[in-house]
Amino acid sequence: MTESKYQGKDFLEILDLKKEQLENFGKNDIDLFRYAIKNFSFAYSNDFTKERGENHSFLYKKLKEIEKKEKEEKKEKEEKEEKEEKKGYKLSCGCTVWSRDEIMGASFGSSCADCYDRMNE
Ligand SMILES: [Zn+2]
């Protein structure tokens, strides 16, 4: 992941950026300020300006979009893994195992542990 060029900046400095700059914020920039974006509130009322308020809600919206996407990606990944798990591994001994760890190497190819043991009895 590329590092944000806003590394080390105060969140208030971020809120003072121009709208165009905030629009160009990538995931790495948002990530850097994720905590601040979520939890920021103006400690002093004289810190608050309309622009800063707008910029904060802009960033908040952007973060929410990223989080939504992350959630979808996570779900997709889990579904894909589940599917792969269901497929299992069809082995030369004729059995199907669900995990790679259960595959043994036999002279005729791949074998499950049970058949492997049986052959070696
Ligand atoms: Zn088997």
Side-chain angles (χ1 to χ4, degrees), residues 91-97 110-116 118:
L91 307 178
S92 309
C93 64
C95 305
T96 299
V97 294
S110 53
S111 167
C112 70
D114 282 348
C115 294
Y116 189 86
R118 220 172 297 144

